[in-house]
Amino acid sequence: MELSDKKAILEGILFTMGESVEVERLAAVIEEEKEVTRDILLTMKEEYERGKRGIALLELEGSFQMCTRSDMYEYLIKIAKTPRKYSLTDTLLETLSIIAYKQPITRIEIEKIRGVSCDHAVNRLLEFGLINELGRLDAPGRPLLFGTTEEFLRCFGVKSLADLPQMNPVQIEEFKLQAEQEVKLSLDV
C-alpha cells in the first residue's frame, strides 16, 4: 500500500468518526507500526497547517481527531447560529481544577478540598462534557470516580494532562501555611 493510500484511509476514518481515534487502532487498519502511523499523522497535520486548509488534526493523549481550524470559528457561527458556550463560574473552575489535578477523584474528596458541597458543580461539568465518570472506588458505598475528558483537553488547548501547568513549590508551601493558620484559628474559636 502506498503512502498516499495510507493517508487517504486515515483521513477518511478520522473524518467519518468525528471523534478521536487511538493511534493503535489506526495502525492496525493500515497494517503499520504505531510509531510509523503516528509519523504519518503528524506529517498530515503539518500538511493541513501549511496548506491553509479549513480542517486540522488534533493530537490528544495518543489519539488523533480531525476538526475545524480554530480561525474558522466566525464562519461556523454564520452557518450554525450560536455555538454552545460554557459559562464556567469560579466554583466550576475550582472544581474542574481539583478534578484535573487529582483524578480519579470522588465527590467526597472534592468536597474535603473545597470545604463545601460540590454536587451542582460536578453535575454542570458532566453536562458540559468536561468531566465523566471513570468507574467506582472499591470502598464502602462504592463512590463514583471522576476524571476529565478529551473535551476538557480541547477546551483548554492541551494535548495531555502532563501539559497542565505545575504550581510553584514555594506557592504550595505558602498555601499549606495559610491552611494551617485557618485551621488553628477555627480551633481557637
Side-chain angles (χ1 to χ4, degrees):
M1 187 183 314
E2 292 187 29
L3 179 60
S4 60
D5 295 329
K6 291 177 183 178
K7 286 181 177 180
I9 292 167
L10 293 171
E11 184 177 58
I13 290 169
L14 293 173
F15 175 79
T16 303
M17 294 299 289
E19 58 187 30
S20 67
V21 181
E22 298 83 11
V23 174
E24 297 86 17
R25 290 178 60 201
L26 295 168
V29 170
I30 63 169
E31 299 174 352
E32 196 59 78
E33 296 293 320
K34 178 182 169 185
E35 284 306 312
V36 173
T37 303
R38 185 173 183 279
D39 289 342
I40 293 170
L41 289 161
L42 290 174
T43 300
M44 290 170 62
K45 179 178 180 176
E46 290 173 17
E47 290 170 355
Y48 289 147
E49 290 169 3
R50 272 196 318 266
K52 294 279 189 176
R53 307 267 301 273
I55 56 174
L57 282 183
L58 187 60
E59 185 178 8
L60 302 163
E61 289 194 347
S63 298
F64 280 83
Q65 179 175 2
M66 185 173 284
C67 61
T68 307
R69 271 192 9 219
S70 60
D71 59 340
M72 298 290 125
Y73 183 74
E74 66 180 288
Y75 306 107
L76 290 172
I77 290 174
K78 291 177 183 177
I79 290 293
K81 303 285 184 215
T82 307
R84 181 176 175 186
K85 282 183 106 178
Y86 304 124
S87 177
L88 295 179
T89 63
D90 289 344
T91 301
L92 292 179
L93 282 172
E94 183 179 306
T95 304
L96 184 58
S97 298
I98 292 167
I99 294 169
Y101 283 95
K102 298 285 189 178
Q103 63 186 301
I105 188 168
T106 65
R107 283 182 201 253
I108 293 171
E109 292 169 320
I110 297 167
E111 289 172 355
K112 280 183 185 176
I113 293 169
R114 288 199 63 235
V116 295
S117 174
C118 68
D119 287 339
H120 175 72
V122 168
N123 290 337
R124 292 292 289 169
L125 294 170
L126 284 167
E127 180 183 318
F128 290 154
L130 297 172
I131 65 169
N132 63 356
E133 297 173 0
L134 299 177
R136 293 192 173 271
L137 184 64
D138 191 17
R142 305 212 8 98
L144 287 170
L145 291 167
F146 297 96
T148 56
T149 63
E150 286 181 352
E151 181 67 16
F152 166 81
L153 297 175
R154 272 190 288 282
C155 287
F156 288 89
V158 293
K159 285 186 189 177
S160 73
L161 295 174
D163 293 339
L164 290 175
Q166 299 300 313
M167 285 189 66
N168 179 336
V170 174
Q171 282 180 315
I172 293 172
E173 286 305 313
E174 288 175 8
F175 290 149
K176 283 182 183 177
L177 286 173
Q178 287 175 355
E180 288 171 3
Q181 289 173 352
E182 287 177 16
V183 168
K184 186 178 178 184
L185 287 174
S186 66
L187 292 175
D188 290 341
V189 174

